[in-house]
Amino acid sequence: MDIYIGHSHRVREIFIQGEFQSKEDICHFYDSVKNCKTEIKITFLTANTLPCDVIEKLLYLNSLGNCCIEVFARNLYFYLYRLGINCTYLHYRNRQEKIRIESSNKKRYSLNEEEIKVLLQAIYHKYGYDYTQYNMQSIKRRIHNIMTRLNLQTIEELEADVLNNKNTFKEVFLEFSINITDFFRDPEVFAFIRQSLLPALSEHKHIKVWCVGCSNGKEPYSLAILLEELGMLHKTQIYATDINPYIIEEAKNGFYSSETIERDKKNYEMAMGSNAFVDSFHLEEKYMKIRKKYKKNILFFQNNVVNSRLSHEFQMIICRNLLMYFDVNLQRKVLEKFYSGMDREGYLVLGRSEEVTKEQKDKLFDVIHHTHKIYRKK
Ligand SMILES: C[S@@+](CC[C@H](N)C(=O)[O-])C[C@H]1O[C@@H](n2cnc3c(N)ncnc32)[C@H](O)[C@@H]1O
């Protein structure tokens, strides 16, 4: 990472190039904003995510009101925006884009499935990410969004751009990784986990849970909160994985906007949480930070479930709202992988609109709760 500092019209301008990789990078950043009596403008030229300490500093500078933050990467912009940090999204295509979005809201590309398959193959060969078995309707919607944003007219143009330009691939990668999540999402499922599954696992000396597609961490932290309440967190190791490395960094940070706190509290109560939701966080005016004790037993790392070899005889695998982006064949493959990575009689929790196939129900899994999509390894 490099930091360039300049001054113009009594403004200290700080340009940051690259991702923060080490403690030295963070110290370097702290030094760059130290003892500044004038306004500061910080521009993140390429970073897609930021570590905890930098976020905390930005929140502090933001609260002083003399700091202006500019961001080029969409991912980082939305992260800061969700945390209530005032920042401007810069994009070299910004002006064009505004005009285009206004005029092309109704524009529909005719996207041919065969052409899309060729594009997905090309991405696989060049970058090693295999989207060829993702759900076609969802892929189509996302390709449409990217083409609108990049002002591309044909799939061939997109293909050329993706193959020649890593940044375009990054756009595609981030667009394909849909990160919607919540604390105690579908609280009745978490209530069932708390009341039935976790007590059934409580006799184990060590418990291993894999939270697949964990997004920004709200799901594994929800689990950790319930485990702690049941006195089981200390003997549990949660592996929390996601294909998107930037969202994994957000998850590790454990910062969340407090804007949705009323919904979070309600979900927590419906999930039968036994304390107050806010007790699990350090609460600030606009954001909240998960308490350290919940982080200790969670190992966050990037992992693509499609070619993952993770197999730790898990007592529970939670993979919610991810399989729905795969086609039936890929779903079957991933479910088989879960089966072989699980302990005898381990639990599998899927999303509301996902399920194991009829044939797998016969051979691999018993249904524990039909509506909540909870299964047990046979
Ligand atoms: C819609 S979110 C669901 C988050 C959470 N499980 C929930 O239900 O609230 C899907 C997550 O799966 C991740 N994902 C997509 N493809 C993946 C893959 N092949 N391997 C691992 N994670 C993947 C995305 O990056 C995203 O964070």
Side-chain angles (χ1 to χ4, degrees):
M1 189 206 68
D2 289 311
I3 296 188
Y4 310 96
I5 302 179
H7 292 273
S8 83
H9 308 296
R10 296 179 44 75
V11 178
R12 184 186 291 183
E13 294 185 324
I14 301 166
F15 296 92
I16 297 168
Q17 172 89 45
E19 303 280 350
F20 283 77
Q21 311 267 13
S22 62
K23 282 232 152 48
E24 286 85 74
D25 287 344
I26 296 172
C27 294
H28 195 176
F29 171 69
Y30 270 43
D31 287 344
S32 73
V33 295
K34 212 162 68 183
N35 301 329
C36 188
K37 306 265 182 307
T38 61
E39 272 188 38
I40 309 184
K41 190 173 95 182
I42 306 172
T43 307
F44 293 98
L45 296 167
T46 49
N48 279 283
T49 186
L50 298 174
C52 239
D53 297 335
V54 175
I55 294 281
E56 260 171 328
K57 189 56 131 190
L58 292 183
L59 284 159
Y60 170 71
L61 292 170
N62 204 234
S63 70
L64 299 181
N66 64 345
C67 173
C68 150
I69 300 166
E70 298 180 333
V71 177
F72 271 89
R74 242 164 44 95
N75 201 66
L76 181 58
Y77 170 73
F78 285 119
Y79 183 34
L80 299 184
Y81 176 81
R82 283 197 305 269
L83 288 173
I85 296 177
N86 286 326
C87 57
T88 308
Y89 174 47
L90 293 179
H91 201 279
Y92 62 94
R93 298 189 185 92
N94 249 8
R95 286 184 54 217
Q96 275 175 325
E97 190 169 358
K98 186 168 180 293
I99 299 165
R100 197 178 56 255
I101 288 171
E102 281 166 2
S103 65
S104 71
N105 261 348
K106 293 185 201 76
K107 183 154 118 193
R108 288 260 147 232
Y109 301 96
S110 66
L111 294 175
N112 173 317
E113 290 193 7
E114 288 313 308
E115 285 176 335
I116 292 180
K117 283 182 189 158
V118 173
L119 168 74
L120 299 179
Q121 280 293 348
I123 289 177
Y124 180 43
H125 284 124
K126 169 103 188 202
Y127 297 102
Y129 283 94
D130 188 359
Y131 298 106
T132 54
Q133 290 178 278
Y134 273 48
N135 177 303
M136 188 47 85
Q137 286 319 311
S138 154
I139 289 284
K140 255 190 191 173
R141 261 197 317 276
R142 280 152 225 297
I143 289 185
H144 180 272
N145 294 345
I146 297 161
M147 289 177 59
T148 308
R149 253 196 332 270
L150 301 183
N151 200 18
L152 301 172
Q153 303 302 322
T154 64
I155 285 264
E156 285 88 358
E157 279 180 64
L158 176 60
E159 186 177 336
D161 212 4
V162 167
L163 295 182
N164 295 324
N165 184 346
K166 265 195 182 157
N167 286 331
T168 307
F169 169 66
K170 220 179 245 175
E171 288 262 349
V172 172
F173 174 78
L174 292 174
E175 184 70 39
F176 283 4
S177 135
I178 304 111
N179 302 122
I180 299 163
T181 188
D182 237 335
F183 283 112
F184 303 97
R185 183 177 186 178
D186 302 326
E188 58 291 349
V189 176
F190 277 89
F192 190 84
I193 292 176
R194 186 196 161 107
Q195 290 182 313
S196 303
L197 304 195
L198 298 183
L201 296 178
S202 64
E203 294 305 310
H204 286 262
K205 249 179 148 177
H206 300 289
I207 302 166
K208 278 166 280 168
V209 177
W210 184 10
C211 185
V212 191
C214 67
S215 186
N216 64 8
K218 288 185 174 182
E219 185 170 69
Y221 287 132
S222 300
L223 266 179
I225 290 170
L226 297 184
L227 281 158
E228 166 76 1
E229 286 178 6
L230 294 171
M232 295 165 65
L233 184 60
H234 67 282
K235 58 173 180 171
T236 305
Q237 178 67 64
I238 302 177
Y239 296 75
T241 62
D242 200 286
I243 194 171
N244 179 338
Y246 310 122
I247 208 80
I248 282 291
E249 292 309 312
E250 291 184 27
K252 282 185 198 163
N253 285 347
F255 279 111
Y256 302 99
S257 160
S258 48
E259 245 175 32
T260 54
I261 199 160
E262 289 311 317
R263 190 178 68 216
D264 299 336
K265 283 181 188 167
K266 209 162 142 209
N267 276 1
Y268 171 73
E269 279 161 25
M270 287 168 69
M272 304 291 168
S274 56
N275 299 321
F277 174 74
V278 291
D279 289 353
S280 306
F281 297 86
H282 297 282
L283 270 189
E284 298 294 334
E285 197 188 330
K286 283 187 173 169
Y287 70 97
M288 51 199 197
K289 187 176 173 190
I290 192 84
R291 290 190 183 276
K292 264 203 182 122
K293 63 176 173 183
Y294 300 108
K295 286 184 172 180
K296 256 185 21 204
N297 295 52
I298 308 182
L299 199 58
F300 285 106
F301 57 100
Q302 184 195 15
N303 179 274
N304 179 354
V305 71
V306 174
N307 47 28
S308 168
R309 288 168 198 267
L310 217 56
S311 173
H312 287 299
E313 303 190 333
F314 293 106
Q315 277 72 43
M316 177 151 72
I317 295 183
I318 300 204
C319 180
R320 308 195 67 231
N321 306 301
L322 163 54
L323 292 185
M324 62 190 186
Y325 298 110
F326 297 168
D327 72 12
V328 180
N329 273 335
L330 190 55
Q331 289 185 12
R332 187 177 300 121
K333 251 197 260 172
V334 170
L335 287 165
E336 276 165 16
K337 194 184 291 241
F338 289 162
Y339 175 84
S340 32
M342 281 166 101
D343 192 16
R344 216 166 46 89
E345 301 199 338
Y347 293 110
L348 172 67
V349 185
L350 301 182
R352 233 189 214 160
S353 54
E354 300 160 335
E355 59 187 324
V356 306
T357 61
K358 156 105 187 51
E359 163 209 342
Q360 286 175 322
K361 267 181 219 159
D362 293 341
K363 279 206 209 141
L364 309 180
F365 297 103
D366 288 319
V367 180
I368 297 296
H369 196 298
H370 177 70
T371 331
H372 297 343
K373 304 294 158 53
I374 296 178
Y375 305 89
R376 186 171 51 203
K377 178 170 172 167
K378 278 190 198 272

